[in-house]
């Protein structure tokens, strides 16, 4: 059986452009979500046996669950994900383009010691919150305003001193974007990069062309995530954001063009770059 994420050779059998949805697209998507809901219950119960393993156990449960969701997407929906480039192995920041639930799954599967910055309330949910915290997720108290970033940096420092941070996944645009949409990059990623001295791995995607923001209808074909050259520590925060945006947007545009999307012209890019500069 092919793995949840495919190499270029393995993915060659899938069309690089989104297929048609047809009248069965919605029933297939509903069946997929029902399947995943049932599988989540089963894997969640099995995961209770992994509690004694601590963080490795939490990551093992997460990897199994995420991998199963990716496999089920191929079975039910005909959408596969190709991974290009090399996922990180060291403590780092992973700064990714975010278009849909599919790229969350794919990047989290590739980064086996994944963690996210999550609302503190989520980490207080029984069982799920324990797994999220054990897997390396960082709580954020948004009510603290500007002090929240100080709290995040302190949490990261504590994790690194204890069990290691792992791969902290961040979406610089702050939300999902439609394919071809441009948004200014937020500077939280630059603050974390400068405050921790961690390397930053940019990731480009075209997943939104196959799996839309609302999660339905889903189109068959070959989506791609691509790990780009790492940005070593040492850039100033003001220099990191333009560098990230250049790498991620250029590569994502290339992936979306491969999938058949007509992209906006340079005037749009220039306007967004000016918006980024104005926030520095």
């Amino acid at each position: 059986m092919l793995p949840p994420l495919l190499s270029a050779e393995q993915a060659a059998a899938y069309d690089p452009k989104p297929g048609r949805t047809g009248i069965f697209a919605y029933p297939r998507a509903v069946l997929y979500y029902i399947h995943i809901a049932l599988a989540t219950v089963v894997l969640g119960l099995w995961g209770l046996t992994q509690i004694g393993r601590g963080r490795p156990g939490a990551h093992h449960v997460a990897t199994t669950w995420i991998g199963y969701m990716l496999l089920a997407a191929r079975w039910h929906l005909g959408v596969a994900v190709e991974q290009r480039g090399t996922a990180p192995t060291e403590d780092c920041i992973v700064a990714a383009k975010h278009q849909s639930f599919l790229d969350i799954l794919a990047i989290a599967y590739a980064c086996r010691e994944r963690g996210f910055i999550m609302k503190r309330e989520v980490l207080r949910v029984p069982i799920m919150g324990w797994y999220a915290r054990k897997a390396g997720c960082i709580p954020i108290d948004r009510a603290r305003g500007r002090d929240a970033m100080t709290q995040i940096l302190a949490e990261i420092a504590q994790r690194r001193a204890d069990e290691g941070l792992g791969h902290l996944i961040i979406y610089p645009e702050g939300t999902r974007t439609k394919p071809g949409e441009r948004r200014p990059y937020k500077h939280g990623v630059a603050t974390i990069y400068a405050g921790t001295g961690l390397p930053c791995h940019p990731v480009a995607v075209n997943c939104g062309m196959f799996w839309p923001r609302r999660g339905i209808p889903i189109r068959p074909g070959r989506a791609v995530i691509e790990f780009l050259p790492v940005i070593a520590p040492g850039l100033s925060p003001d220099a990191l954001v333009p560098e990230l945006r250049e790498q991620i947007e250029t590569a994502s545009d290339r992936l979306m063009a491969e999938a058949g999307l007509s992209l906006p012209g340079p005037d749009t890019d220039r306007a967004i770059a000016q918006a980024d500069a104005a926030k520095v």
Side-chain angles (χ1 to χ4, degrees), residues 46-269:
W46 163 75
L48 295 176
T49 67
Q50 304 297 306
I51 287 178
R53 295 179 58 197
R55 188 174 183 184
H59 280 307
H60 180 55
V61 173
T63 298
T64 303
W65 178 59
I66 296 166
Y68 192 84
M69 284 194 283
L70 289 168
L71 290 173
R74 286 215 306 261
W75 301 334
H76 287 290
L77 307 168
V79 60
V81 183
E82 175 189 347
Q83 178 186 330
R84 299 180 187 174
T86 303
T89 56
E90 78 281 19
D91 283 4
C92 67
I93 300 164
V94 176
K97 185 78 173 172
H98 182 26
Q99 295 180 336
S100 76
F101 182 57
L102 183 59
D103 57 64
I104 294 178
L105 294 179
I107 295 169
Y109 187 82
C111 299
R112 296 303 180 90
E113 296 186 12
R114 83 290 291 170
F116 298 86
I117 295 174
M118 304 177 69
K119 291 189 295 185
R120 184 177 295 275
E121 293 78 9
V122 175
L123 295 179
R124 291 172 177 165
V125 175
I127 300 178
M128 187 184 78
W130 181 89
Y131 277 111
R133 182 177 285 276
K134 275 295 181 182
C137 292
I138 304 292
I140 179 173
D141 184 357
R142 292 180 176 174
R144 296 180 62 179
R146 294 182 179 180
D147 290 339
M149 185 57 68
T150 302
Q151 167 216 330
I152 289 171
L153 292 174
E155 287 275 358
I156 291 173
Q158 187 62 52
R159 298 293 173 86
R160 295 179 74 186
D162 293 341
E163 299 180 88
L165 176 67
H167 313 133
L168 184 62
I169 301 170
I170 298 175
Y171 303 109
E173 291 168 291
T175 187
R176 289 172 293 181
T177 59
K178 296 179 181 178
E181 182 181 8
R182 301 286 196 274
R183 287 178 180 266
Y185 278 35
K186 298 181 182 297
H187 285 255
V189 62
T191 302
I192 294 173
Y193 168 83
T196 61
L198 289 167
C200 184
H201 289 253
V203 185
V205 308
N206 68 359
C207 298
M209 296 189 64
F210 301 84
W211 193 304
R213 294 170 65 185
R214 292 182 296 176
I216 199 168
I218 298 165
R219 298 178 179 274
R222 182 208 317 165
V224 180
I225 63 168
E226 182 173 353
F227 288 88
L228 305 171
V230 61
I231 300 174
L235 287 182
S236 70
D238 292 354
L240 177 70
V241 171
E243 177 67 19
L244 267 183
R245 185 178 181 279
E246 175 65 23
Q247 285 204 37
I248 293 173
E249 296 300 323
T250 299
S252 294
D253 285 353
R254 170 173 46 78
L255 296 180
M256 289 185 285
E258 289 178 13
L261 183 69
S262 296
L263 297 163
D267 288 344
T268 302
D269 287 338

